[in-house]
Short mmCIF file of all heavy atoms in Angstrom, two decimals:
data_model
loop_
_atom_site.label_atom_id
_atom_site.label_comp_id
_atom_site.label_asym_id
_atom_site.label_seq_id
_atom_site.Cartn_x
_atom_site.Cartn_y
_atom_site.Cartn_z
N PRO B 203 44.40 -6.45 11.40
CA PRO B 203 43.39 -7.50 11.55
C PRO B 203 42.56 -7.74 10.29
O PRO B 203 42.38 -6.83 9.47
CB PRO B 203 42.50 -6.97 12.68
CG PRO B 203 42.65 -5.48 12.59
CD PRO B 203 44.08 -5.26 12.19
N ARG B 204 42.07 -8.96 10.16
CA ARG B 204 41.14 -9.30 9.08
C ARG B 204 39.71 -8.92 9.45
O ARG B 204 39.39 -8.73 10.62
CB ARG B 204 41.17 -10.81 8.80
CG ARG B 204 42.44 -11.30 8.18
CD ARG B 204 42.33 -12.79 7.84
NE ARG B 204 43.65 -13.36 7.61
CZ ARG B 204 44.07 -14.50 8.09
NH1 ARG B 204 43.26 -15.23 8.85
NH2 ARG B 204 45.29 -14.94 7.84
N LYS B 205 38.87 -8.88 8.45
CA LYS B 205 37.46 -8.60 8.67
C LYS B 205 36.84 -9.65 9.58
O LYS B 205 37.11 -10.84 9.45
CB LYS B 205 36.71 -8.57 7.33
CG LYS B 205 35.22 -8.28 7.45
CD LYS B 205 34.54 -8.28 6.11
CE LYS B 205 34.38 -9.69 5.56
NZ LYS B 205 33.57 -9.71 4.31
N SER B 206 35.99 -9.20 10.50
CA SER B 206 35.28 -10.09 11.40
C SER B 206 33.93 -10.47 10.82
O SER B 206 33.08 -9.60 10.58
CB SER B 206 35.08 -9.42 12.77
OG SER B 206 34.10 -10.10 13.53
N VAL B 207 33.72 -11.75 10.60
CA VAL B 207 32.43 -12.23 10.08
C VAL B 207 31.31 -11.93 11.06
O VAL B 207 30.21 -11.53 10.68
CB VAL B 207 32.51 -13.75 9.79
CG1 VAL B 207 31.13 -14.30 9.43
CG2 VAL B 207 33.50 -14.03 8.67
N ALA B 208 31.59 -12.09 12.35
CA ALA B 208 30.56 -11.85 13.37
C ALA B 208 30.14 -10.38 13.40
O ALA B 208 28.94 -10.07 13.47
CB ALA B 208 31.08 -12.28 14.74
N LEU B 209 31.10 -9.47 13.34
CA LEU B 209 30.75 -8.06 13.38
C LEU B 209 30.00 -7.63 12.12
O LEU B 209 29.06 -6.82 12.19
CB LEU B 209 32.02 -7.22 13.54
CG LEU B 209 32.57 -7.10 14.97
CD1 LEU B 209 33.92 -6.41 14.97
CD2 LEU B 209 31.59 -6.34 15.87
N GLU B 210 30.40 -8.14 10.97
CA GLU B 210 29.68 -7.78 9.75
C GLU B 210 28.26 -8.36 9.77
O GLU B 210 27.31 -7.71 9.33
CB GLU B 210 30.42 -8.25 8.50
CG GLU B 210 29.77 -7.72 7.22
CD GLU B 210 30.63 -7.90 6.00
OE1 GLU B 210 30.97 -9.07 5.69
OE2 GLU B 210 30.96 -6.90 5.34
N ALA B 211 28.11 -9.57 10.32
CA ALA B 211 26.78 -10.17 10.44
C ALA B 211 25.90 -9.32 11.36
O ALA B 211 24.70 -9.14 11.11
CB ALA B 211 26.88 -11.59 10.98
N LEU B 212 26.49 -8.79 12.43
CA LEU B 212 25.76 -7.89 13.34
C LEU B 212 25.24 -6.68 12.56
O LEU B 212 24.06 -6.31 12.65
CB LEU B 212 26.69 -7.45 14.46
CG LEU B 212 26.19 -6.56 15.61
CD1 LEU B 212 27.25 -6.47 16.68
CD2 LEU B 212 25.83 -5.15 15.17
N LEU B 213 26.13 -6.03 11.82
CA LEU B 213 25.76 -4.81 11.10
C LEU B 213 24.68 -5.08 10.05
O LEU B 213 23.73 -4.30 9.90
CB LEU B 213 27.00 -4.21 10.43
CG LEU B 213 27.92 -3.44 11.37
CD1 LEU B 213 29.32 -3.33 10.79
CD2 LEU B 213 27.35 -2.06 11.65
N LYS B 214 24.80 -6.18 9.33
CA LYS B 214 23.82 -6.50 8.29
C LYS B 214 22.47 -6.87 8.90
O LYS B 214 21.42 -6.61 8.30
CB LYS B 214 24.34 -7.64 7.42
CG LYS B 214 25.49 -7.23 6.50
CD LYS B 214 25.95 -8.40 5.65
CE LYS B 214 27.03 -7.98 4.67
NZ LYS B 214 27.50 -9.11 3.83
N ALA B 215 22.49 -7.50 10.07
CA ALA B 215 21.25 -7.93 10.70
C ALA B 215 20.53 -6.78 11.42
O ALA B 215 19.32 -6.64 11.33
CB ALA B 215 21.52 -9.06 11.69
N ARG B 216 21.29 -5.96 12.13
CA ARG B 216 20.69 -4.93 12.98
C ARG B 216 20.53 -3.59 12.26
O ARG B 216 19.56 -2.87 12.46
CB ARG B 216 21.54 -4.75 14.22
CG ARG B 216 20.99 -3.77 15.24
CD ARG B 216 19.73 -4.28 15.90
NE ARG B 216 19.30 -3.37 16.94
CZ ARG B 216 19.68 -3.45 18.21
NH1 ARG B 216 20.48 -4.44 18.59
NH2 ARG B 216 19.25 -2.58 19.09
N PHE B 217 21.49 -3.25 11.40
CA PHE B 217 21.46 -1.95 10.73
C PHE B 217 21.69 -2.11 9.22
O PHE B 217 22.65 -1.58 8.66
CB PHE B 217 22.53 -1.04 11.32
CG PHE B 217 22.40 -0.82 12.80
CD1 PHE B 217 23.34 -1.35 13.68
CD2 PHE B 217 21.34 -0.10 13.32
CE1 PHE B 217 23.22 -1.15 15.05
CE2 PHE B 217 21.20 0.11 14.68
CZ PHE B 217 22.14 -0.43 15.55
N PRO B 218 20.81 -2.85 8.53
CA PRO B 218 21.05 -3.13 7.11
C PRO B 218 21.06 -1.89 6.23
O PRO B 218 21.89 -1.78 5.32
CB PRO B 218 19.88 -4.06 6.74
CG PRO B 218 18.83 -3.79 7.76
CD PRO B 218 19.57 -3.47 9.02
N GLN B 219 20.17 -0.94 6.49
CA GLN B 219 20.12 0.26 5.66
C GLN B 219 21.37 1.10 5.85
O GLN B 219 21.99 1.54 4.88
CB GLN B 219 18.89 1.09 6.01
CG GLN B 219 18.78 2.38 5.20
CD GLN B 219 17.54 3.18 5.56
OE1 GLN B 219 16.56 2.64 6.09
NE2 GLN B 219 17.58 4.48 5.31
N GLU B 220 21.76 1.30 7.10
CA GLU B 220 22.96 2.09 7.38
C GLU B 220 24.20 1.44 6.77
O GLU B 220 25.08 2.14 6.25
CB GLU B 220 23.14 2.24 8.89
CG GLU B 220 22.11 3.13 9.56
CD GLU B 220 20.89 2.35 10.03
OE1 GLU B 220 20.64 1.24 9.52
OE2 GLU B 220 20.19 2.86 10.91
N TYR B 221 24.25 0.12 6.84
CA TYR B 221 25.44 -0.58 6.33
C TYR B 221 25.49 -0.50 4.80
O TYR B 221 26.57 -0.33 4.22
CB TYR B 221 25.46 -2.02 6.80
CG TYR B 221 26.82 -2.69 6.64
CD1 TYR B 221 27.93 -2.18 7.32
CD2 TYR B 221 27.00 -3.80 5.84
CE1 TYR B 221 29.18 -2.76 7.18
CE2 TYR B 221 28.25 -4.39 5.70
CZ TYR B 221 29.33 -3.86 6.37
OH TYR B 221 30.58 -4.44 6.22
N ARG B 222 24.34 -0.60 4.15
CA ARG B 222 24.31 -0.45 2.69
C ARG B 222 24.75 0.95 2.28
O ARG B 222 25.52 1.12 1.32
CB ARG B 222 22.90 -0.74 2.16
CG ARG B 222 22.53 -2.21 2.11
CD ARG B 222 21.30 -2.43 1.26
NE ARG B 222 20.14 -1.73 1.80
CZ ARG B 222 19.28 -2.25 2.66
NH1 ARG B 222 19.45 -3.50 3.08
NH2 ARG B 222 18.24 -1.56 3.08
N GLU B 223 24.28 1.96 2.99
CA GLU B 223 24.67 3.33 2.68
C GLU B 223 26.17 3.53 2.87
O GLU B 223 26.82 4.22 2.08
CB GLU B 223 23.88 4.30 3.56
CG GLU B 223 22.40 4.37 3.21
CD GLU B 223 21.62 5.27 4.16
OE1 GLU B 223 22.26 5.88 5.05
OE2 GLU B 223 20.39 5.35 4.03
N ARG B 224 26.69 2.93 3.92
CA ARG B 224 28.13 3.06 4.17
C ARG B 224 28.92 2.36 3.07
O ARG B 224 29.96 2.86 2.63
CB ARG B 224 28.47 2.46 5.54
CG ARG B 224 29.93 2.62 5.91
CD ARG B 224 30.29 4.07 6.17
NE ARG B 224 31.72 4.21 6.45
CZ ARG B 224 32.53 5.00 5.77
NH1 ARG B 224 32.07 5.75 4.78
NH2 ARG B 224 33.82 5.08 6.07
N ALA B 225 28.43 1.21 2.61
CA ALA B 225 29.10 0.49 1.53
C ALA B 225 29.14 1.34 0.25
O ALA B 225 30.18 1.39 -0.43
CB ALA B 225 28.39 -0.83 1.26
N MET B 226 28.04 2.00 -0.06
CA MET B 226 28.00 2.86 -1.25
C MET B 226 28.95 4.04 -1.10
O MET B 226 29.62 4.44 -2.06
CB MET B 226 26.58 3.34 -1.50
CG MET B 226 25.64 2.24 -1.99
SD MET B 226 24.01 2.84 -2.50
CE MET B 226 23.30 3.25 -0.90
N GLN B 227 29.02 4.59 0.10
CA GLN B 227 29.91 5.72 0.35
C GLN B 227 31.37 5.31 0.17
O GLN B 227 32.14 6.02 -0.48
CB GLN B 227 29.69 6.26 1.76
CG GLN B 227 30.53 7.46 2.11
CD GLN B 227 30.29 7.94 3.54
OE1 GLN B 227 29.50 7.37 4.28
NE2 GLN B 227 30.99 8.99 3.93
N VAL B 228 31.74 4.16 0.71
CA VAL B 228 33.12 3.68 0.58
C VAL B 228 33.44 3.40 -0.89
O VAL B 228 34.53 3.70 -1.37
CB VAL B 228 33.33 2.41 1.44
CG1 VAL B 228 34.68 1.77 1.14
CG2 VAL B 228 33.22 2.75 2.93
N SER B 229 32.47 2.83 -1.60
CA SER B 229 32.67 2.54 -3.03
C SER B 229 32.91 3.82 -3.82
O SER B 229 33.79 3.87 -4.69
CB SER B 229 31.46 1.78 -3.58
OG SER B 229 31.61 1.52 -4.96
N LYS B 230 32.15 4.87 -3.52
CA LYS B 230 32.31 6.14 -4.22
C LYS B 230 33.68 6.75 -3.93
O LYS B 230 34.28 7.39 -4.79
CB LYS B 230 31.21 7.11 -3.81
CG LYS B 230 29.84 6.77 -4.39
CD LYS B 230 28.80 7.77 -3.93
CE LYS B 230 27.42 7.43 -4.48
NZ LYS B 230 26.39 8.39 -4.01
N GLU B 231 34.15 6.57 -2.70
CA GLU B 231 35.45 7.12 -2.33
C GLU B 231 36.60 6.36 -2.97
O GLU B 231 37.72 6.86 -3.04
CB GLU B 231 35.59 7.11 -0.81
CG GLU B 231 34.63 8.06 -0.10
CD GLU B 231 34.65 7.88 1.41
OE1 GLU B 231 35.34 6.95 1.90
OE2 GLU B 231 33.98 8.67 2.10
N GLY B 232 36.32 5.14 -3.42
CA GLY B 232 37.33 4.34 -4.11
C GLY B 232 38.45 3.83 -3.23
O GLY B 232 39.54 3.51 -3.72
N VAL B 233 38.21 3.72 -1.92
CA VAL B 233 39.25 3.24 -1.01
C VAL B 233 39.24 1.71 -0.98
O VAL B 233 38.19 1.08 -1.09
CB VAL B 233 39.06 3.80 0.42
CG1 VAL B 233 39.33 5.28 0.42
CG2 VAL B 233 37.67 3.51 0.95
N LEU B 234 40.40 1.12 -0.82
CA LEU B 234 40.53 -0.33 -0.85
C LEU B 234 41.10 -0.85 0.47
O LEU B 234 41.90 -0.17 1.12
CB LEU B 234 41.46 -0.75 -1.99
CG LEU B 234 41.02 -0.36 -3.41
CD1 LEU B 234 42.09 -0.75 -4.42
CD2 LEU B 234 39.68 -1.01 -3.76
N ALA B 235 40.67 -2.04 0.83
CA ALA B 235 41.18 -2.69 2.05
C ALA B 235 42.38 -3.55 1.68
O ALA B 235 42.27 -4.76 1.51
CB ALA B 235 40.07 -3.52 2.69
N ARG B 236 43.53 -2.92 1.56
CA ARG B 236 44.72 -3.63 1.09
C ARG B 236 45.48 -4.34 2.20
O ARG B 236 46.19 -5.31 1.94
CB ARG B 236 45.67 -2.64 0.40
CG ARG B 236 45.13 -2.04 -0.89
CD ARG B 236 46.09 -1.01 -1.44
NE ARG B 236 45.64 -0.48 -2.72
CZ ARG B 236 45.97 0.72 -3.19
NH1 ARG B 236 46.74 1.50 -2.45
NH2 ARG B 236 45.54 1.13 -4.36
N TYR B 237 45.37 -3.84 3.41
CA TYR B 237 46.29 -4.29 4.45
C TYR B 237 45.62 -5.06 5.59
O TYR B 237 46.29 -5.42 6.56
CB TYR B 237 47.06 -3.09 5.01
CG TYR B 237 47.75 -2.28 3.93
CD1 TYR B 237 47.36 -0.97 3.67
CD2 TYR B 237 48.75 -2.85 3.15
CE1 TYR B 237 47.98 -0.24 2.66
CE2 TYR B 237 49.36 -2.12 2.13
CZ TYR B 237 48.98 -0.82 1.90
OH TYR B 237 49.59 -0.10 0.89
N ALA B 238 44.32 -5.30 5.50
CA ALA B 238 43.60 -6.04 6.55
C ALA B 238 43.79 -7.54 6.32
O ALA B 238 42.87 -8.24 5.89
CB ALA B 238 42.13 -5.66 6.57
N VAL B 239 44.98 -8.03 6.63
CA VAL B 239 45.36 -9.39 6.23
C VAL B 239 45.60 -10.34 7.41
O VAL B 239 45.98 -11.49 7.22
CB VAL B 239 46.61 -9.35 5.33
CG1 VAL B 239 46.29 -8.69 4.00
CG2 VAL B 239 47.76 -8.61 6.03
N GLY B 240 45.42 -9.86 8.63
CA GLY B 240 45.56 -10.75 9.79
C GLY B 240 47.00 -11.01 10.21
O GLY B 240 47.34 -12.14 10.58
N THR B 241 47.82 -9.99 10.17
CA THR B 241 49.24 -10.15 10.53
C THR B 241 49.62 -9.20 11.66
O THR B 241 48.86 -8.32 12.05
CB THR B 241 50.15 -9.89 9.32
OG1 THR B 241 49.90 -8.56 8.83
CG2 THR B 241 49.88 -10.89 8.21
N TRP B 242 50.84 -9.35 12.16
CA TRP B 242 51.42 -8.49 13.19
C TRP B 242 52.93 -8.59 13.07
O TRP B 242 53.45 -9.46 12.37
CB TRP B 242 50.96 -8.91 14.59
CG TRP B 242 51.31 -10.34 14.92
CD1 TRP B 242 52.46 -10.80 15.46
CD2 TRP B 242 50.51 -11.49 14.65
NE1 TRP B 242 52.43 -12.17 15.57
CE2 TRP B 242 51.23 -12.61 15.08
CE3 TRP B 242 49.23 -11.67 14.09
CZ2 TRP B 242 50.73 -13.91 14.95
CZ3 TRP B 242 48.74 -12.96 13.98
CH2 TRP B 242 49.49 -14.06 14.41
N ASN B 243 53.63 -7.70 13.74
CA ASN B 243 55.10 -7.72 13.70
C ASN B 243 55.64 -8.88 14.53
O ASN B 243 55.25 -9.06 15.68
CB ASN B 243 55.67 -6.41 14.25
CG ASN B 243 55.31 -5.22 13.39
OD1 ASN B 243 54.94 -5.37 12.22
ND2 ASN B 243 55.39 -4.03 13.96
N ARG B 244 56.50 -9.66 13.94
CA ARG B 244 57.14 -10.75 14.68
C ARG B 244 58.22 -10.20 15.60
O ARG B 244 58.98 -9.31 15.22
CB ARG B 244 57.76 -11.76 13.71
CG ARG B 244 56.79 -12.27 12.65
CD ARG B 244 55.70 -13.12 13.25
NE ARG B 244 54.71 -13.51 12.25
CZ ARG B 244 53.71 -14.35 12.48
NH1 ARG B 244 53.58 -14.89 13.69
NH2 ARG B 244 52.84 -14.64 11.55
N LEU B 245 58.29 -10.73 16.80
CA LEU B 245 59.30 -10.28 17.75
C LEU B 245 60.60 -11.05 17.54
O LEU B 245 60.59 -12.18 17.02
CB LEU B 245 58.79 -10.48 19.17
CG LEU B 245 57.59 -9.60 19.55
CD1 LEU B 245 57.10 -9.95 20.94
CD2 LEU B 245 57.97 -8.13 19.50
N PRO B 246 61.71 -10.47 17.94
CA PRO B 246 63.00 -11.17 17.77
C PRO B 246 63.00 -12.54 18.46
O PRO B 246 62.44 -12.70 19.54
CB PRO B 246 64.00 -10.22 18.45
CG PRO B 246 63.35 -8.88 18.39
CD PRO B 246 61.88 -9.13 18.53
N ALA B 247 63.60 -13.49 17.82
CA ALA B 247 63.61 -14.85 18.36
C ALA B 247 64.34 -14.94 19.68
O ALA B 247 64.07 -15.85 20.49
CB ALA B 247 64.24 -15.80 17.33
N ASP B 248 65.27 -14.02 19.93
CA ASP B 248 66.05 -14.08 21.16
C ASP B 248 65.44 -13.25 22.30
O ASP B 248 66.06 -13.06 23.35
CB ASP B 248 67.49 -13.63 20.91
CG ASP B 248 67.57 -12.20 20.37
OD1 ASP B 248 66.51 -11.62 20.05
OD2 ASP B 248 68.70 -11.67 20.27
N ALA B 249 64.21 -12.75 22.11
CA ALA B 249 63.56 -11.96 23.16
C ALA B 249 63.21 -12.84 24.36
O ALA B 249 62.88 -14.02 24.20
CB ALA B 249 62.29 -11.30 22.62
N SER B 250 63.32 -12.29 25.55
CA SER B 250 62.94 -13.02 26.76
C SER B 250 61.46 -13.40 26.69
O SER B 250 60.65 -12.63 26.19
CB SER B 250 63.20 -12.16 28.01
OG SER B 250 64.56 -11.78 28.10
N VAL B 251 61.12 -14.58 27.19
CA VAL B 251 59.74 -15.06 27.16
C VAL B 251 59.29 -15.34 28.60
O VAL B 251 59.90 -16.14 29.31
CB VAL B 251 59.61 -16.35 26.32
CG1 VAL B 251 58.17 -16.85 26.33
CG2 VAL B 251 60.08 -16.11 24.89
N PHE B 252 58.24 -14.67 29.02
CA PHE B 252 57.71 -14.83 30.37
C PHE B 252 56.50 -15.77 30.31
O PHE B 252 55.36 -15.34 30.13
CB PHE B 252 57.32 -13.47 30.96
CG PHE B 252 58.51 -12.59 31.24
CD1 PHE B 252 59.05 -11.80 30.23
CD2 PHE B 252 59.09 -12.56 32.50
CE1 PHE B 252 60.15 -10.99 30.48
CE2 PHE B 252 60.19 -11.76 32.75
CZ PHE B 252 60.72 -10.98 31.74
N LEU B 253 56.77 -17.06 30.44
CA LEU B 253 55.72 -18.06 30.32
C LEU B 253 54.66 -17.86 31.39
O LEU B 253 54.96 -17.61 32.55
CB LEU B 253 56.31 -19.46 30.42
CG LEU B 253 57.16 -19.93 29.25
CD1 LEU B 253 57.70 -21.33 29.51
CD2 LEU B 253 56.35 -19.92 27.95
N GLY B 254 53.40 -18.00 30.98
CA GLY B 254 52.29 -17.85 31.91
C GLY B 254 51.92 -16.43 32.23
O GLY B 254 51.00 -16.18 33.01
N VAL B 255 52.60 -15.45 31.62
CA VAL B 255 52.32 -14.04 31.87
C VAL B 255 51.76 -13.42 30.59
O VAL B 255 52.41 -13.43 29.55
CB VAL B 255 53.59 -13.28 32.30
CG1 VAL B 255 53.29 -11.78 32.46
CG2 VAL B 255 54.13 -13.85 33.60
N GLY B 256 50.54 -12.90 30.69
CA GLY B 256 49.91 -12.22 29.56
C GLY B 256 49.77 -10.74 29.85
O GLY B 256 49.67 -10.33 31.01
N CYS B 257 49.78 -9.93 28.81
CA CYS B 257 49.67 -8.48 28.98
C CYS B 257 48.21 -8.08 29.13
O CYS B 257 47.37 -8.44 28.30
CB CYS B 257 50.29 -7.77 27.77
SG CYS B 257 50.17 -5.96 27.86
N ASP B 258 47.91 -7.33 30.19
CA ASP B 258 46.55 -6.84 30.41
C ASP B 258 46.21 -5.66 29.52
O ASP B 258 45.08 -5.16 29.57
CB ASP B 258 46.37 -6.45 31.88
CG ASP B 258 46.14 -7.66 32.77
OD1 ASP B 258 45.04 -8.22 32.72
OD2 ASP B 258 47.07 -8.06 33.50
N GLY B 259 47.14 -5.23 28.69
CA GLY B 259 46.87 -4.18 27.72
C GLY B 259 46.55 -4.76 26.36
O GLY B 259 45.40 -4.99 26.01
N CYS B 260 47.59 -5.06 25.59
CA CYS B 260 47.40 -5.55 24.21
C CYS B 260 46.99 -7.01 24.16
O CYS B 260 46.47 -7.48 23.15
CB CYS B 260 48.68 -5.35 23.42
SG CYS B 260 50.07 -6.38 24.00
N GLY B 261 47.25 -7.77 25.23
CA GLY B 261 46.88 -9.18 25.25
C GLY B 261 47.94 -10.14 24.76
O GLY B 261 47.69 -11.34 24.67
N ILE B 262 49.14 -9.65 24.43
CA ILE B 262 50.18 -10.58 23.98
C ILE B 262 50.47 -11.59 25.09
O ILE B 262 50.59 -11.25 26.26
CB ILE B 262 51.46 -9.82 23.56
CG1 ILE B 262 52.40 -10.77 22.80
CG2 ILE B 262 52.14 -9.15 24.72
CD1 ILE B 262 53.55 -10.08 22.11
N TRP B 263 50.55 -12.87 24.70
CA TRP B 263 50.68 -13.95 25.69
C TRP B 263 51.43 -15.11 25.05
O TRP B 263 50.97 -15.65 24.07
CB TRP B 263 49.30 -14.38 26.14
CG TRP B 263 49.28 -15.38 27.27
CD1 TRP B 263 50.31 -16.09 27.76
CD2 TRP B 263 48.14 -15.79 28.03
NE1 TRP B 263 49.92 -16.92 28.76
CE2 TRP B 263 48.57 -16.75 28.95
CE3 TRP B 263 46.79 -15.45 28.02
CZ2 TRP B 263 47.70 -17.38 29.84
CZ3 TRP B 263 45.93 -16.07 28.90
CH2 TRP B 263 46.39 -17.02 29.81
N PRO B 264 52.55 -15.52 25.62
CA PRO B 264 53.23 -14.92 26.77
C PRO B 264 53.91 -13.60 26.39
O PRO B 264 54.19 -13.35 25.22
CB PRO B 264 54.26 -15.98 27.15
CG PRO B 264 54.58 -16.66 25.86
CD PRO B 264 53.28 -16.70 25.10
N VAL B 265 54.16 -12.78 27.41
CA VAL B 265 54.86 -11.52 27.20
C VAL B 265 56.29 -11.82 26.78
O VAL B 265 56.94 -12.71 27.33
CB VAL B 265 54.84 -10.66 28.48
CG1 VAL B 265 55.78 -9.47 28.35
CG2 VAL B 265 53.43 -10.19 28.78
N ARG B 266 56.77 -11.09 25.80
CA ARG B 266 58.15 -11.23 25.31
C ARG B 266 58.88 -9.90 25.46
O ARG B 266 58.26 -8.84 25.36
CB ARG B 266 58.15 -11.67 23.84
CG ARG B 266 57.53 -13.04 23.62
CD ARG B 266 57.21 -13.23 22.13
NE ARG B 266 56.72 -14.56 21.85
CZ ARG B 266 55.48 -14.97 22.02
NH1 ARG B 266 54.58 -14.14 22.52
NH2 ARG B 266 55.11 -16.20 21.72
N GLY B 267 60.18 -9.96 25.67
CA GLY B 267 60.95 -8.73 25.88
C GLY B 267 60.87 -8.31 27.33
O GLY B 267 61.21 -9.08 28.22
N GLU B 268 60.41 -7.11 27.59
CA GLU B 268 60.20 -6.63 28.95
C GLU B 268 58.82 -7.04 29.46
O GLU B 268 57.86 -7.13 28.70
CB GLU B 268 60.30 -5.11 29.03
CG GLU B 268 61.69 -4.55 28.88
CD GLU B 268 61.71 -3.04 29.09
OE1 GLU B 268 60.65 -2.46 29.45
OE2 GLU B 268 62.77 -2.44 28.89
N ALA B 269 58.73 -7.27 30.78
CA ALA B 269 57.45 -7.54 31.44
C ALA B 269 57.40 -6.75 32.73
O ALA B 269 58.41 -6.63 33.44
CB ALA B 269 57.28 -9.03 31.72
N TRP B 270 56.22 -6.20 33.04
CA TRP B 270 56.01 -5.39 34.23
C TRP B 270 54.82 -5.93 35.01
O TRP B 270 53.87 -6.45 34.43
CB TRP B 270 55.75 -3.93 33.85
CG TRP B 270 56.93 -3.28 33.19
CD1 TRP B 270 57.37 -3.47 31.90
CD2 TRP B 270 57.82 -2.32 33.77
NE1 TRP B 270 58.48 -2.71 31.64
CE2 TRP B 270 58.78 -1.98 32.77
CE3 TRP B 270 57.90 -1.72 35.02
CZ2 TRP B 270 59.80 -1.07 33.01
CZ3 TRP B 270 58.91 -0.79 35.26
CH2 TRP B 270 59.85 -0.48 34.26
N TYR B 271 54.86 -5.80 36.35
CA TYR B 271 53.73 -6.24 37.16
C TYR B 271 53.36 -5.17 38.18
O TYR B 271 54.19 -4.34 38.58
CB TYR B 271 54.05 -7.57 37.87
CG TYR B 271 55.01 -7.47 39.03
CD1 TYR B 271 54.55 -7.36 40.35
CD2 TYR B 271 56.38 -7.50 38.82
CE1 TYR B 271 55.44 -7.28 41.41
CE2 TYR B 271 57.27 -7.42 39.87
CZ TYR B 271 56.80 -7.30 41.16
OH TYR B 271 57.68 -7.21 42.21
N ASP B 272 52.10 -5.20 38.58
CA ASP B 272 51.58 -4.27 39.59
C ASP B 272 51.94 -4.81 40.96
O ASP B 272 51.38 -5.81 41.42
CB ASP B 272 50.07 -4.15 39.41
CG ASP B 272 49.41 -3.23 40.43
OD1 ASP B 272 50.07 -2.83 41.41
OD2 ASP B 272 48.22 -2.94 40.26
N ALA B 273 52.84 -4.15 41.64
CA ALA B 273 53.30 -4.61 42.95
C ALA B 273 52.25 -4.44 44.04
O ALA B 273 52.37 -5.03 45.12
CB ALA B 273 54.57 -3.86 43.35
N ASP B 274 51.21 -3.65 43.76
CA ASP B 274 50.17 -3.39 44.76
C ASP B 274 48.87 -4.13 44.48
O ASP B 274 47.90 -3.97 45.22
CB ASP B 274 49.89 -1.88 44.84
CG ASP B 274 51.13 -1.09 45.23
OD1 ASP B 274 51.86 -1.56 46.13
OD2 ASP B 274 51.37 -0.01 44.64
#
Side-chain angles (χ1 to χ4, degrees):
R204 291 185 197 135
K205 180 180 74 173
S206 164
V207 172
L209 279 172
E210 187 168 59
L212 183 171
L213 282 159
K214 289 181 176 180
R216 184 68 175 270
F217 302 111
Q219 179 180 337
E220 291 90 339
Y221 196 61
R222 284 195 299 269
E223 290 176 3
R224 183 68 184 124
M226 289 188 288
Q227 182 181 0
V228 171
S229 178
K230 287 180 181 179
E231 293 172 355
V233 292
L234 300 176
R236 294 176 176 154
Y237 306 115
V239 293
T241 58
W242 58 88
N243 295 341
R244 307 292 175 174
L245 294 175
D248 59 352
S250 301
V251 179
F252 292 84
L253 290 179
V255 176
C257 179
D258 281 286
C260 67
I262 193 169
W263 186 348
V265 170
R266 297 164 175 82
E268 288 185 5
W270 296 75
Y271 74 96
D272 178 350
D274 300 319

